[in-house]
Amino acid sequence: MNVSQRFDVLAGALLGADEVDGRTRTGLVHAVGAELRQGDASHAWLALAVLNAEWPVRDEVVQLRRRLRLEDPSEVVRELLAQARRRLVAGLARPSRSVRIIQGVVVDVHHTAHTRLATGIQRVARKTAEQWSRTHDVAMAGWTKDDMALRVLTSEERENAISGSKPDAPKPRREEVLVPWRAHYVLPELAIEDPRTARIAAMAEFSGNQTSLIGFDCVPITTAETVGAGMGAAFSRNLVAAAHFDRIAAISVAAATEYRGWRSMLGAAGLAGPEIEDVFLPIEAGDVTDAEMVAAREELLTGDLPLLLCVGSHEPRKNHLAVLNAAEILWRKGREFSLVFVGGNAWGSEGFQHRLGVLKRRGRPVRGITAITDALLWSAYRLAQATVFPSWNEGFGLPVAESIASGTPVVTSNFGSMHEIGSLGGARFVSPRDEEELAAVLDEVLFDEAENRRLREAAAAAPRTSWGDYANALWDYFGGADR
Amino acid sequence: MQSEPNELERRLEEAERENAALRAENAALLDSQLASWTTIVRDESSALTQVYSTLSWRITKPLRDARAFQLAVRRVGLSSALAIAVARVRRRRG
Amino acid sequence: MSDVTKADIDSDIDPVSSALAQRLRAAAPHLLPGGADLDTSAGPLLKHLVLAARGSRRDEDLWLLIVAITGRFPEAEHVRGARAALRHSTEADATLLLLSELADLARHSENLRRPMVVIEEATVVDVDFCARHDHNTGIQRVVRQTMSRWADAYAPTFVAWTDFGHAMREIGPYERKRVVDWGTKIEGEPEGKDELAALPIVVPLRSNVLVSEVPRTELCLAQTAISEFSGNTVHLIGYDAIPIVSADTVPHHETERFVRYLNLVKHATRVLAISDAVAEEFSGFAMSVTAQGLSGPKVVSVPLPVDIPDARPASDDVAPAGRLVLCVGSHEPRKNHHAVLFAAELLWNEGLQFSLRFVGGGSIWYTRIFDKQVKRLQKAGRDVQVLRGVSDEEMLALYREATFSVFPSLQEGFGLPVAESLALNTPVITTSYGSTGEIARDGGCLTVDPRDDESIVTAMRELLTNQERVQELQREIAHRPRRSWDAYAHDLASHVVGGRA
């Protein structure tokens, strides 16, 4: 698509398709200029996005508005066209992009379209995409190679976004840029690339589109000591974009609290910030066959020892050192049980690995499993006498939900989302900063039969919800394309 | 009757002497334990301080400048980054 | 100030061992109840101290002991590791287990040769940057104005941190002058490396610690651990949260540094914010951390002063030949100077006559584009200049001549240029929300929405064409409530000195 064709698309959107037919080029330039001059920032945003096939950043939109005020609008439009042509020529190496204006609901699944990971954020984005594509008419989108514009996904990319079955789907040679206009942009994943967050921010501030996102947590700013270098800055820029969104669906009340606290900070920059509500993630367990259970028993259990299961990566925030220390208190007391960690190494795992080694050398029945199938994971939850999850901060403690949904008692932190989920039934709460307390409660849950039974019954009685329920609640809160 | 207090006194003195000797031995052991620890820690600490002191601004500044330039290119493109570098030098020269 | 004598550091013996012995003896009275027998060698003394900390199970005892042994203020993971090591120890092996646990921390310690001084129930003020540097804008001015007054009134203990941020230390006499004698000509020579290396570690107990600046990243974790474990009460002066709220206007490393500072904020007892707007920022953050089972700090607004000149007449006696519009401040996106340039161009196009002066430097990233715009306007015959490296006298002259100054910043912690302009009797056009909005409320200002170009144009046009309005604002300035540095220093002290949180 050349610049003239892009201009036609722009003229059609600004003036209406009927107004475009039969007009001369000069006439159209004049009309578009007039429309931009008396329009608002959304028209300026649209013009830049369509003509350049790139979403503009804030400064570009503001500068265009100022030029329209100071100069002859037709001249400004001609210059925009000339600039767009120069950029096209400069990018000779890559094929020219076509531009499509899109309405309705657009779901940005850029990362999810290319990942095989199904944990945490990706799982939520994937399940949402999957459910919505079944029940609603939505467009799935990704970003261009240079992270400067939203684009159409190939059918393979779309399939991977939904099922995760094609993580190596090739990216398209010719990118078709998408420009939402009077549409609803939804971000169900985390965006952290600078060019992308800057452009999402400008779109949210100026384009007039409805904008919604899923809020997972604000850990990089509220619990920065548990996060590696670089994430604080990238995440904060994501929040700068979020400040201009219409609404955020936080995945728990705790996550909503973090976002609301952040929103209070925005007054200093004269911004009101988005509406924030919590839309709770589901409490759902996967199924396992009897054969899978038998195999799992072989793999995971140590003789007759009751199993204490701990699911999650070994980053400091998950607090697995405390689990090891508490377990050691119990082993020294003569308690007999095995401890299995299911999860990978992550930034900052060295302390945990060192201590794990020490305990193994001491002959303690403890091990870590990094790679695990779904079948093995869900079997593990069912086989465990109890699970433990004393994290310092979670947007939504998925392992707590998974344990309860599997009917297995869980010992977890006495605040935040873990407390919210655990309060549904089947949980005991501790302060994750108190290793003695953790040991004492684990002792009860593992070895007091009556207590263990009571918790199992409570877990069984806890309400279950599905990803379908979640996707519907999310759609309702975001309001679909009806707002 | 006369010998008993002497015997007790003698045993007491002996016990006290033994006690003092054990205390001194214990103290010496503890001192030596601490001294060993101190030696290990001190020697490794000296080695590390050497490393820290060579990481002076003078040596790493060119590296940091290069890195800053790299990041600049990524942000604004090569021609702009070069223009900025030139302007910087001009400004420094006054 | 310190009672560490040369005899305590007997350099005939290996200096590391003798410093360690000194530190253990300094800690002993605070760990061993009822004055124990200190006349033993270091080995047995250490054992007494270890068993005392192990038995009392109090975090502050263990924290103090770690400082004594390693010469370092520990981070949370070190204290927890030490606690775990002692938990399963016997009386016989506790010392060795603790020494093993702390070996790594000690071998990375820059303070093995440094003696230590323990102070109790004191007021400690961390002036790390001000003591060691001559730089003097923003934060440093607040610290120097306040501490020069605190020095006489409250006799606080000023501390800096050692080179790699391993521990708090006393400051030297020249460093002290940098903090409390800044206004006057400082006599004497800065301390040499050896002199600084001999200054003892300062260990506060049951004290109020005021972190008066934004600390270096490398010491944030150790400083946070003071709040969590040492039993001291930590207060912070809160300046702003710009690196989070306006993260897109600062370089990445500044946001990175700030999120680590937020860890310290999270565990502190109190934040003393320099404006209501900043208090709201920190309160918002405090709300966020409740999701982690933490209460977060108490947040109080202690607004900075806006110095008002004594009895300055309104300037209707000297009608300026032309109108001068002043725009003071560093050139960075947040200050929104392009909006001022746009408004000026529009008004010149309308036929208004006035001069525009920008005063201040900035990163060349931003200024290159800005300077291009200025050149374009100059070529078109507009009276606009950018002045950099301006002296104080020149600054004063500019303000006196100016009809008004304009400062439509997108976000500020306080807004010193607004305060300065008012202090020199010059009305200001500034942002309606946040801290500048607070200052504006007391008079002498027109406020604008900095994101709305039209709002800035209207305000500037008003003051350029309506001399009566200018004079009205000048009268308002004269009637502004006075708040002095004395008052600020006193208010700050009321939250920190004496009482316990």
Side-chain angles (χ1 to χ4, degrees):
Chain A
M1 195 184 258
N2 63 32
V3 173
S4 296
Q5 289 166 321
R6 292 181 192 167
F7 179 75
D8 289 340
V9 171
L10 175 64
L14 282 179
L15 306 170
D18 332 313
E19 290 296 316
V20 176
D21 294 333
R23 286 229 209 176
T24 62
R25 177 73 358 138
T26 318
L28 276 177
V29 164
H30 184 81
V32 165
E35 199 63 30
L36 290 177
R37 174 69 176 84
Q38 60 198 49
D40 60 30
S42 69
H43 300 95
W45 182 87
L46 180 71
L48 288 166
V50 172
L51 293 178
N52 293 321
E54 267 172 27
W55 285 21
V57 294
R58 183 173 207 277
D59 282 350
E60 290 171 325
V61 178
V62 171
Q63 206 185 45
L64 175 57
R65 299 264 288 148
R66 286 176 181 156
R67 290 191 60 200
L68 287 165
R69 276 279 259 133
L70 290 170
E71 303 168 37
D72 167 26
S74 304
E75 189 52 43
V76 175
V77 173
R78 273 192 286 274
E79 262 228 42
L80 279 182
L81 291 170
Q83 232 174 60
R85 286 195 181 96
R86 277 197 299 274
R87 280 161 112 147
L88 206 58
V89 167
L92 211 51
R94 60 183 158 95
S96 69
R97 293 176 178 163
S98 58
V99 177
R100 169 148 59 101
I101 291 182
I102 186 168
Q103 273 153 352
V105 177
V106 188
V107 183
D108 185 345
V109 284
H110 177 61
H111 284 304
T112 313
H114 285 278
T115 182
R116 75 178 77 237
L117 274 178
T119 60
I121 292 171
Q122 272 82 39
R123 174 110 70 98
V124 177
R126 178 157 285 144
K127 289 290 190 182
T128 303
E130 178 192 22
Q131 296 290 332
W132 280 8
S133 62
R134 260 195 234 147
T135 50
H136 301 283
D137 183 19
V138 299
M140 308 265 162
W143 279 68
T144 55
K145 269 193 218 44
D146 54 14
D147 282 334
M148 287 183 162
L150 199 68
R151 66 160 172 91
V152 171
L153 292 178
T154 66
S155 56
E156 282 200 335
E157 287 178 312
R158 211 175 307 132
E159 201 187 310
N160 188 61
I162 291 173
S163 70
S165 60
K166 294 198 155 76
D168 300 317
K171 302 198 176 158
R173 263 200 79 238
R174 284 187 173 276
E175 295 169 318
E176 187 182 356
V177 167
L178 289 172
V179 180
W181 181 243
R182 306 307 183 224
H184 194 143
Y185 169 88
V186 176
L187 182 64
E189 52 174 49
L190 192 59
I192 49 170
E193 306 83 346
D194 276 1
R196 191 177 165 210
T197 52
R199 285 164 177 78
I200 294 173
M203 182 276 301
E205 188 177 357
F206 297 119
S207 72
N209 289 306
Q210 281 290 306
T211 47
S212 309
L213 64 87
I214 299 180
F216 298 93
D217 63 57
C218 293
V219 159
I221 63 171
T222 62
T223 322
E225 69 276 16
T226 65
V227 174
M231 199 47 179
F235 185 77
S236 296
R237 283 152 188 256
N238 173 292
L239 285 180
V240 166
H244 298 286
F245 268 57
D246 293 311
R247 66 197 65 78
I248 295 180
I251 60 178
S252 67
V253 172
T257 301
E258 290 202 314
Y259 280 97
R260 286 194 187 113
W262 155 76
R263 185 178 57 184
S264 298
M265 299 171 80
L266 298 178
L271 298 170
E275 222 181 88
I276 298 169
E277 287 297 329
D278 61 284
V279 181
F280 215 45
L281 291 187
I283 313 290
E284 200 185 55
D287 296 319
V288 282
T289 65
D290 290 337
E292 286 164 341
M293 279 289 278
V294 168
R297 218 172 244 123
E298 273 285 324
E299 171 75 33
L300 297 169
L301 297 184
T302 306
D304 288 332
L305 297 181
L307 169 66
L308 177 62
L309 177 69
C310 183
V311 176
S313 70
H314 303 309
E315 55 182 293
R317 183 166 54 91
K318 305 294 181 178
N319 202 17
H320 288 176
L321 259 178
V323 175
L324 287 177
N325 289 340
E328 177 64 5
I329 292 175
L330 294 180
W331 281 318
R332 287 202 185 217
K333 266 176 143 174
R335 297 285 187 264
E336 296 182 337
F337 64 97
S338 71
L339 171 57
V340 172
F341 288 90
V342 172
N345 280 319
W347 173 86
S349 314
E350 303 79 26
F352 168 79
Q353 287 301 334
H354 172 79
R355 189 108 186 96
L356 180 67
V358 167
L359 290 177
K360 276 182 166 167
R361 280 191 294 279
R362 205 175 284 166
R364 301 304 188 200
V366 57
R367 52 192 277 242
I369 303 177
T370 46
I372 194 165
T373 60
D374 272 358
L376 200 56
L377 178 64
W378 293 115
S379 306
Y381 276 119
R382 284 174 174 75
L383 291 171
Q385 181 75 352
T387 66
V388 60
F389 190 76
S391 170
W392 284 336
N393 190 4
E394 292 290 325
F396 186 90
L398 219 44
V400 180
E402 290 170 347
S403 183
I404 291 173
S406 302
T408 302
V410 57
V411 178
T412 188
S413 305
N414 61 359
F415 55 77
S417 69
M418 295 161 280
H419 188 261
E420 280 172 66
I421 301 167
S423 298
L424 296 172
R428 284 289 300 273
F429 301 110
V430 294
S431 163
R433 298 172 182 94
D434 187 339
E435 289 166 2
E436 271 90 358
E437 190 192 355
L438 179 57
V441 173
L442 281 173
D443 201 3
E444 277 183 55
V445 174
L446 286 171
F447 298 106
D448 182 337
E449 281 182 30
E451 178 65 1
N452 193 284
R453 206 179 320 121
R454 180 186 75 80
L455 291 168
R456 277 177 192 277
E457 282 164 14
R464 269 92 171 121
T465 48
S466 68
W467 281 107
D469 296 330
Y470 173 72
N472 288 338
L474 194 66
W475 182 269
D476 285 342
Y477 174 52
F478 285 168
D482 310 325
R483 274 192 213 227
Chain B
M1 267 308 145
Q2 184 87 31
S3 67
E4 270 201 24
N6 285 340
E7 177 65 22
L8 283 173
E9 266 175 44
R10 192 187 59 79
R11 284 209 197 139
L12 184 60
E13 269 175 45
E14 207 183 294
E16 277 173 352
R17 266 199 306 275
E18 220 184 296
N19 194 20
L22 282 170
R23 275 231 188 88
E25 200 185 311
N26 187 37
L29 278 170
L30 289 169
D31 281 335
S32 132
Q33 175 183 274
L34 185 55
S36 305
W37 180 86
T38 305
T39 306
I40 295 170
V41 151
R42 178 195 61 216
D43 289 345
E44 293 193 27
S45 168
S46 306
L48 281 167
T49 313
Q50 299 254 4
V51 176
Y52 286 150
S53 63
T54 62
L55 290 177
S56 66
W57 279 127
R58 262 178 285 120
I59 291 175
T60 56
K61 189 164 193 322
L63 291 174
R64 283 180 287 111
D65 283 347
R67 179 64 182 148
F69 185 79
Q70 255 185 326
L71 294 171
V73 170
R74 232 188 273 164
R75 246 184 13 233
V76 304
L78 183 60
S79 55
S80 295
L82 283 171
I84 286 163
V86 166
R88 213 177 232 144
V89 170
R90 280 218 192 93
R91 191 199 266 184
R92 228 180 283 147
R93 291 220 197 99
Chain C
M1 194 189 294
S2 81
D3 35 28
V4 173
T5 65
K6 274 218 120 197
D8 294 318
I9 319 288
D10 187 347
S11 49
D12 279 351
I13 309 173
D14 141 52
V16 171
S17 295
S18 81
L20 173 57
Q22 185 279 334
R23 291 195 302 266
L24 293 176
R25 265 183 263 282
H30 307 281
L31 287 172
L32 301 173
D37 176 21
L38 297 182
D39 190 25
T40 63
S41 51
L45 177 59
L46 175 60
K47 180 168 177 169
H48 287 313
L49 299 178
V50 172
L51 293 183
R54 175 180 174 275
S56 86
R57 304 174 106 231
R58 287 201 319 213
D59 285 335
E60 47 253 56
D61 290 345
L62 186 54
W63 180 85
L64 171 60
L65 183 56
I66 296 173
V67 179
I69 293 174
T70 64
R72 286 186 64 168
F73 280 29
E75 298 167 5
E77 65 166 291
H78 303 131
V79 179
R80 293 204 184 100
R83 177 65 66 207
L86 286 177
R87 180 186 292 134
H88 297 299
S89 65
T90 61
E91 286 201 4
D93 64 19
T95 309
L96 188 56
L97 281 177
L98 186 61
L99 285 176
S100 302
E101 180 70 27
L102 295 177
D104 218 41
L105 189 60
R107 64 168 66 95
H108 288 91
S109 171
E110 60 177 327
N111 295 326
L112 289 178
R113 288 168 181 71
R114 219 182 266 266
M116 125 185 158
V117 158
V118 179
I119 57 177
E120 298 173 272
E121 291 170 16
T123 300
V124 176
V125 185
D126 183 341
V127 290
D128 185 55
F129 192 88
C130 279
R132 299 177 317 122
H133 298 100
D134 294 317
H135 188 76
N136 192 46
T137 62
I139 292 178
Q140 293 80 48
R141 287 159 77 175
V142 174
V143 175
R144 286 173 173 139
Q145 289 277 13
T146 314
M147 292 308 136
S148 55
R149 289 163 170 85
W150 275 32
D152 297 325
Y154 310 108
T157 303
F158 293 117
V159 296
W161 286 68
T162 54
D163 286 346
F164 292 116
H166 287 177
M168 281 179 175
R169 62 161 175 83
E170 276 183 14
I171 59 175
Y174 190 88
E175 290 183 319
R176 189 188 164 85
K177 284 181 190 159
R178 277 200 193 101
V179 178
V180 307
D181 289 341
W182 183 257
T184 66
K185 185 171 189 329
I186 303 182
E187 285 174 11
E189 287 295 309
E191 296 86 355
K193 275 188 80 170
D194 292 336
E195 206 180 327
L196 292 176
L199 291 168
I201 296 167
V202 173
V203 186
L205 293 182
R206 297 185 310 284
S207 296
N208 283 298
V209 177
L210 174 64
V211 180
S212 71
E213 310 161 324
V214 177
R216 296 181 259 154
T217 310
E218 57 264 36
L219 49 93
C220 274
L221 286 175
Q223 206 154 39
T224 304
I226 296 177
S227 292
E228 281 191 87
F229 302 104
S230 75
N232 291 296
T233 305
V234 175
H235 314 261
L236 311 173
I237 299 181
Y239 291 94
D240 65 64
I242 287 166
I244 301 291
V245 175
S246 296
D248 55 332
T249 66
V250 302
H252 289 83
H253 65 80
E254 215 176 296
T255 304
E256 281 299 314
R257 185 173 167 215
F258 195 80
V259 297
R260 295 183 199 282
Y261 170 66
L262 285 180
N263 184 28
L264 171 59
V265 174
K266 178 163 79 170
H267 289 287
T269 300
R270 196 179 272 105
V271 172
L272 304 155
I274 62 173
S275 66
D276 292 346
V278 172
E280 221 183 288
E281 278 182 299
F282 282 98
S283 295
F285 179 72
M287 192 209 311
S288 285
V289 305
T290 58
Q292 294 171 55
L294 295 170
S295 56
K298 292 194 196 78
V299 180
V300 181
S301 174
V302 185
L304 289 182
V306 178
D307 265 342
I308 301 304
D310 302 313
R312 293 283 286 278
S315 65
D316 45 14
D317 50 338
V318 180
R323 298 218 179 283
L324 172 62
V325 177
L326 204 55
C327 184
V328 177
S330 59
H331 287 306
E332 44 177 304
R334 183 166 53 91
K335 305 293 182 175
N336 207 16
H337 288 166
H338 279 281
V340 177
L341 214 53
F342 167 76
E345 184 172 355
L346 211 91
L347 293 170
W348 279 317
N349 288 355
E350 280 180 13
L352 290 178
Q353 308 268 29
F354 60 96
S355 318
L356 177 59
R357 296 287 177 269
F358 289 90
V359 180
S363 153
I364 204 156
W365 293 111
Y366 183 71
T367 60
R368 208 179 118 260
I369 305 168
F370 182 76
D371 287 349
K372 260 170 95 177
Q373 294 283 7
V374 168
K375 268 200 194 74
R376 177 179 63 82
L377 288 167
Q378 286 170 340
K379 276 210 191 88
R382 304 305 188 193
D383 187 359
V384 53
Q385 275 178 35
V386 180
L387 306 169
R388 296 191 175 106
V390 164
S391 71
D392 282 350
E393 291 82 37
E394 287 168 319
M395 223 28 271
L396 224 68
L398 281 167
Y399 269 118
R400 283 222 179 84
E401 206 190 315
T403 311
F404 61 90
S405 68
V406 55
F407 189 73
S409 170
L410 293 171
Q411 184 179 357
E412 291 293 322
F414 181 68
L416 275 170
V418 178
E420 280 173 356
S421 186
L422 293 172
L424 293 167
N425 213 36
T426 307
V428 193
I429 293 175
T430 189
T431 302
S432 59
Y433 56 73
S435 58
T436 51
E438 280 167 59
I439 298 174
R441 242 181 277 133
D442 284 338
C445 307
L446 279 191
T447 60
V448 297
D449 175 1
R451 293 186 181 90
D452 180 358
D453 285 336
E454 211 50 55
S455 144
I456 298 173
V457 170
T458 305
M460 282 176 68
R461 192 189 290 118
E462 171 77 1
L463 295 188
L464 283 169
T465 57
N466 188 347
Q467 180 61 9
E468 273 174 25
R469 190 83 176 91
V470 174
Q471 287 165 1
E472 194 186 326
L473 292 177
Q474 284 169 336
R475 280 192 293 274
E476 283 183 13
I477 293 175
H479 286 107
R480 283 183 62 102
R482 276 144 175 67
R483 181 168 166 73
S484 64
W485 277 113
D486 284 346
Y488 175 74
H490 177 264
D491 287 347
L492 196 70
S494 70
H495 294 287
V496 177
V497 178
R500 301 277 294 157

